[in-house]
Amino acid sequence: MLSSAAMAAEEQFFPLIDYRVGPYGSNGQAFYGGFIDYLNYVNLKEKGVNGVQMTYEECETEYNNAKGVECYERLKSKAAKSAGPLHTMSTGISYALIDKSAQDKLPLAMMGYGRTDAVDGSVFPYAFPLVTTYQMQASAIVKFIKDKNGGNLAGKKIVYLYHDSAYGKEAIIALEAEASLNKFTLVQIPVAHPGNEQGAQWLKIRQEKPDFVIFWGWGVMNQTALKAAQKVAFPRDKMIGSWWTGSEEDVVPAGDAAKGYMAATWNVSGKQVPVIADIENVVYGAGKGNLQDKTKIGTILYNRGVSAAVLSVEAIRKGQEKYGKGKALTGEQTRWALENLNITDARLKALGATDLLPEIKTSCDNHEGSGKVKIQQWDGAKWVPVSGWIEGNKALIHPLFQASAKQYAKEKGITPRDCSKEK
Amino acid sequence: MNFFLEVLIGGLLSGVMYALVALGFVMIYKASGVFNFAQGAMVYLAALSVVGCIEQGAPLWLAIILAFIIMTLFGIATEKFVLRKLVNQPPIALFMATIGLAFFIEGIAPMVFGSDPRALELGIVDEPLPWVMDNWNMVISKFDLVAAGVAGVLVATLALFFQYTRIGRALRAVADDHQAALSIGIPLQHIWAIVWGVAGFVALVAGMMWGARNGVQFALTFTALKALPVLILGGFTSVPGAIIGGLIIGASEKLAEIYIPPVMQDLFGGNFGGIEGWFPYVLALLFLLVRPEGLFGEKHIDRV
């Protein structure tokens, strides 16, 4: 008979610092609903990972940094024995937890958000800006625009309309580097939070007559921008947003004004993705679905939650290969697994998760692992992918991360790890 | 010059939208001398009620009527369960009660109607008027003009209501002194229920206009933030002041957003902008220094 400690070790615990109420509650509901549904799916479909059951506990942050830290403190003791990656879906909370999570040896996943120079794992061993960063995403968008313009952006004008916050400013360094490389004019126009009034900014855009608008919005700023673009008759198919601006929640409230608008994403929407359809059958069929509102299944953010869970569970599998099959991983072991991921297209296909993630291969000096996005377009009813995977200019962008990480290490007195010795 | 005029007109029309929210604050303040912290939440509740009823199959006209009934019942319930116990209490107690009310609405409204952002179609397209664009190369939105018309009608109605009706005069008496008003037979409870109902109606109009423009979502509660400087400028007790304050704030913030950043960049380098978030507050602060009661607010004089 197993001792209670041994039985507890067969459960892989995921601390979920999430948000389902408050100003961005609907985003959190879809994302964390998808995340939890996939954990339950793994438990129901294959009885856990090599017999280890996926468990979780939620703590509500309302997208508030202070509450995020409070939740972390509440959950960290439960994560002491076993811990999957932490997903906060918040850049602010991630920043607040970077040092704490490293001290407590709990890996912090920041898929498409958070501190982007943590790509350099030699300085940030416990922080993982996985899949894509703001900078690589911006670079990929520029590449998409360039391809649309016959491979030449010289003499073109691009407006960068952004949320005037750390989130919005993150991409500037990449866009400036791209503007310098590709000889286009970059006009930066900030929007004060919350962004529910953008009349002046769009009149300025009208005056500037840009060829494209790259858009880094959040919350109500997204719908307001689309409506304001309609008001000044700026074509929506010349607007391309970040992944925070590309969910159903961002475009539906704008009505017809959103038709034709494009945004970056690393996961497609819809139930045609085999694993999404299977989750509905297996998990909701068993009455264990997390969402009361089933219409969210297959939306961009629901599928993104599933993609985050797929990646997290694959990390657990990877870790078990090294530390023992059928054993739950500690935070330290999960960190190793996140740093040694190799999720290929063939593996994604086997999981039924093709187009939920690009191929990912992480390492000590590359905690991002991909840097690829797709561009999708809103047709008035659904998001339709209009590109294949586009990778940002890694040679241009990654040195920016390394320089920033080096500076951070200097300020904090951190001695970077020697990545050549890490396996 | 053309661009300046375009920004100015756009700003004035945006200001009308702010004034719609500010009017709700004025209503409550005139009747109770209390700053209603929950006005933004009421705008959210009203707009959610409309889309909630539409989702249940009601046509728009019926949804508006049902939302009005919901807001009126809410006003009556607020008087009965929150305000009645606070008669003759210091204004800060009433203010604190409205803070609690705001949190209550922000919690309960999405629980009842759902928290997903939704579109509200009023049948007014937010597109530029073609003939203005063709002849003057200026962007003036049909939607903004309709909003200005709605605000104008609302202000005229409310001003007449306060000035020329018995209830309006009673409202003003109650605002001056609860106890004195009670002593001459003014039914305070009825008056408060009426004024919260009217404030609910104003919130409904503001919620529909803002909801149609930006979608119905939690962020509607933020509209109250724009109303604060409007009230400081226009005066907390003046209905026309809310409109004038709104116009000043709307126009000045838009002009500031366009014309100040280039000057700052020339002087200090770097990238400036996004100043319309704080500019109205600075303007209001400066205004407070010279005219604390606002442009149209009642001057308060205490005799010693």
Side-chain angles (χ1 to χ4, degrees):
Chain A
M1 186 177 169
L2 291 168
S3 68
S4 59
M7 285 180 75
E10 289 175 22
E11 290 186 346
Q12 185 67 52
F13 180 67
F14 287 81
L16 296 184
I17 298 173
D18 66 9
Y19 50 94
R20 291 175 186 255
V21 296
Y24 312 112
S26 63
N27 290 10
Q29 283 166 24
F31 180 89
Y32 287 101
F35 193 96
I36 291 169
D37 279 348
Y38 187 75
L39 296 185
N40 286 329
Y41 173 74
V42 171
N43 288 340
L44 289 167
K45 184 93 175 177
E46 49 182 302
K47 304 205 184 311
V49 176
N50 300 312
V52 177
Q53 290 286 299
M54 304 293 109
T55 64
Y56 63 89
E57 184 171 325
E58 293 180 82
C59 183
E60 175 66 46
T61 69
E62 294 181 37
Y63 199 76
N64 176 302
N65 292 354
K67 286 185 181 172
V69 174
E70 203 179 304
C71 281
Y72 172 82
E73 294 296 339
R74 195 182 302 168
L75 293 176
K76 77 175 184 187
S77 60
K78 293 186 178 177
K81 283 183 183 169
S82 80
L86 283 159
H87 294 267
T88 67
M89 263 271 278
S90 158
T91 293
I93 296 173
S94 299
Y95 263 80
L97 296 181
I98 281 220
D99 291 341
K100 284 175 181 291
S101 64
Q103 281 163 17
D104 298 326
K105 300 193 172 178
L106 294 174
L108 185 63
M110 303 174 290
M111 291 175 70
Y113 59 88
R115 185 163 185 132
T116 54
D117 55 1
V119 165
D120 185 348
S122 69
V123 175
F124 297 94
Y126 277 86
F128 292 83
L130 288 156
V131 187
T132 182
T133 54
Y134 295 129
Q135 291 85 348
M136 284 292 276
Q137 198 177 165
S139 175
I141 290 172
V142 170
K143 192 172 180 195
F144 175 76
I145 295 172
K146 191 175 171 180
D147 289 346
K148 275 179 87 87
N149 279 274
N152 185 13
L153 285 176
K156 299 285 180 190
K157 186 184 275 186
I158 295 177
V159 160
Y160 178 52
L161 183 74
Y162 64 97
H163 191 265
D164 194 16
S165 64
Y167 150 66
K169 289 174 183 169
E170 288 269 8
I172 289 175
I173 190 170
L175 290 171
E176 285 177 339
E178 288 284 1
S180 172
L181 183 72
N182 290 294
K183 313 265 183 277
F184 64 83
T185 305
L186 179 70
V187 179
Q188 299 169 33
I189 302 180
V191 176
H193 179 78
N196 57 355
E197 181 55 47
Q198 296 172 36
Q201 286 83 356
W202 280 92
L203 287 177
K204 195 171 178 189
I205 288 170
R206 197 171 100 82
Q207 191 190 31
E208 292 283 354
K209 297 184 174 63
D211 297 288
F212 281 90
V213 170
I214 294 179
F215 174 52
W216 240 243
W218 173 230
V220 68
M221 181 180 158
N222 299 338
Q223 300 92 45
T224 307
L226 292 166
K227 287 275 197 171
Q230 181 187 47
K231 194 192 280 188
V232 300
F234 186 84
R236 264 38 55 76
D237 60 0
K238 301 282 183 190
M239 274 179 82
I240 306 176
S242 73
W243 75 266
W244 283 112
T245 68
S247 68
E248 288 80 358
E249 284 82 352
D250 297 312
V251 289
V252 168
D256 287 343
K259 204 170 175 182
Y261 163 67
M262 289 185 276
T265 185
W266 73 78
N267 64 274
V268 298
S269 64
K271 295 180 187 176
Q272 78 288 351
V273 181
V275 72
I276 302 295
D278 210 25
I279 286 173
E280 194 169 18
N281 288 336
V282 173
V283 181
Y284 286 83
K288 293 193 173 180
N290 186 260
L291 292 176
Q292 284 182 329
D293 178 7
K294 282 177 68 179
T295 60
K296 285 185 186 292
I297 298 172
T299 60
I300 280 287
L301 288 175
Y302 178 88
N303 287 8
R304 187 159 298 146
V306 173
S307 87
V310 166
L311 189 147
S312 302
V313 170
E314 286 306 290
I316 301 302
R317 281 188 220 281
K318 181 77 183 177
Q320 285 193 14
E321 284 172 16
K322 181 177 169 75
Y323 297 105
K325 286 191 176 176
K327 290 182 178 173
L329 302 184
T330 64
E332 206 171 353
Q333 291 166 340
T334 302
R335 188 212 71 77
W336 177 88
L338 286 170
E339 197 167 275
N340 289 277
L341 281 174
N342 186 10
I343 306 175
T344 62
D345 278 339
R347 177 62 186 154
L348 288 169
K349 193 176 177 189
L351 291 167
T354 299
D355 285 340
L356 277 192
L357 283 166
E359 284 191 312
I360 291 175
K361 188 169 175 25
T362 54
S363 62
C364 167
D365 57 10
N366 184 359
H367 276 194
E368 185 182 40
S370 166
K372 291 177 185 170
V373 291
K374 287 190 175 196
I375 304 298
Q376 57 179 349
Q377 189 165 36
W378 182 248
D379 71 359
K382 63 183 183 304
W383 286 106
V384 179
V386 290
S387 81
W389 292 112
I390 304 172
E391 186 175 14
N393 188 340
K394 201 170 168 183
L396 182 72
I397 305 298
H398 272 220
L400 302 174
F401 296 142
Q402 284 146 9
S404 175
K406 199 173 168 186
Q407 179 65 26
Y408 179 83
K410 196 175 164 189
E411 284 167 12
K412 294 271 182 177
I414 296 169
T415 306
R417 291 182 296 159
D418 182 353
C419 281
S420 65
K421 292 178 183 168
E422 296 286 331
K423 279 186 182 177
Chain B
M1 189 60 190
N2 208 39
F3 182 63
F4 174 84
L5 279 176
E6 190 176 47
V7 175
L8 179 66
I9 294 169
L12 291 170
L13 292 171
S14 295
V16 171
M17 295 289 283
Y18 303 157
L20 279 175
V21 183
L23 279 172
F25 285 95
V26 170
M27 292 301 300
I28 305 286
Y29 196 86
K30 271 179 94 77
S32 58
V34 167
F35 180 79
N36 176 24
F37 192 83
Q39 192 63 33
M42 285 170 63
V43 171
Y44 176 46
L45 172 64
L48 261 185
S49 303
V50 175
V51 292
C53 292
I54 290 171
E55 281 174 358
Q56 294 304 313
L60 179 64
W61 63 268
L62 182 60
I64 294 171
I65 291 171
L66 290 171
F68 176 60
I69 292 169
I70 290 170
M71 295 309 291
T72 305
L73 291 175
F74 170 78
I76 293 166
T78 301
E79 186 280 321
K80 188 170 183 184
F81 299 112
V82 182
L83 302 176
R84 194 172 288 184
K85 311 276 185 195
L86 298 174
V87 176
N88 282 326
Q89 296 300 312
I92 188 68
L94 285 160
F95 175 64
M96 295 301 283
T98 67
I99 292 178
L101 198 59
F103 284 117
F104 174 75
I105 297 169
E106 287 169 11
I108 202 82
M111 274 175 68
V112 175
F113 296 107
S115 61
D116 286 348
R118 279 160 283 182
L120 174 59
E121 293 295 340
L122 297 179
I124 316 159
V125 187
D126 203 357
E127 283 176 349
L129 289 169
W131 62 271
V132 177
M133 207 154 173
D134 294 343
N135 292 315
W136 290 292
N137 190 28
M138 281 169 62
V139 167
I140 294 178
S141 152
K142 296 172 196 168
F143 184 92
D144 286 346
L145 289 178
V146 171
V150 168
V153 171
L154 198 61
V155 166
T157 309
L158 291 174
L160 292 172
F161 172 73
F162 273 108
Q163 207 62 37
Y164 297 108
T165 66
R166 283 186 63 181
I167 293 174
R169 283 194 291 273
L171 283 171
R172 283 154 56 201
V174 167
D176 281 345
D177 191 325
H178 300 171
Q179 211 158 20
L182 275 170
S183 69
I184 59 165
I186 293 175
L188 183 63
Q189 290 156 5
H190 291 175
I191 293 294
W192 271 0
I194 289 168
V195 82
W196 276 81
V198 176
F201 173 70
V202 174
L204 174 62
V205 174
M208 287 199 308
M209 300 313 285
W210 276 95
R213 173 186 261 188
N214 294 347
V216 176
Q217 54 188 303
F218 190 89
L220 283 177
T221 61
F222 301 155
T223 53
L225 297 174
K226 286 286 185 184
L228 287 176
V230 171
L231 291 165
I232 293 170
L233 251 78
F236 279 77
T237 54
S238 169
V239 171
I243 288 288
I244 303 296
L247 294 175
I248 293 172
I249 290 293
S252 60
E253 73 171 15
K254 296 290 175 288
L255 291 169
E257 183 66 51
I258 294 288
Y259 293 106
I260 291 179
V263 177
M264 301 283 275
Q265 278 159 26
D266 287 346
L267 289 174
F268 305 109
N271 186 34
F272 289 88
I275 65 173
E276 66 183 328
W278 53 262
F279 183 82
Y281 288 91
V282 172
L283 191 66
L285 196 65
L286 293 173
F287 207 81
L288 271 178
L289 296 175
V290 290
R291 200 174 165 87
E293 68 278 8
L295 279 172
F296 299 91
E298 290 162 12
K299 205 165 222 172
H300 187 78
I301 300 169
D302 280 324
R303 297 191 187 282
V304 181

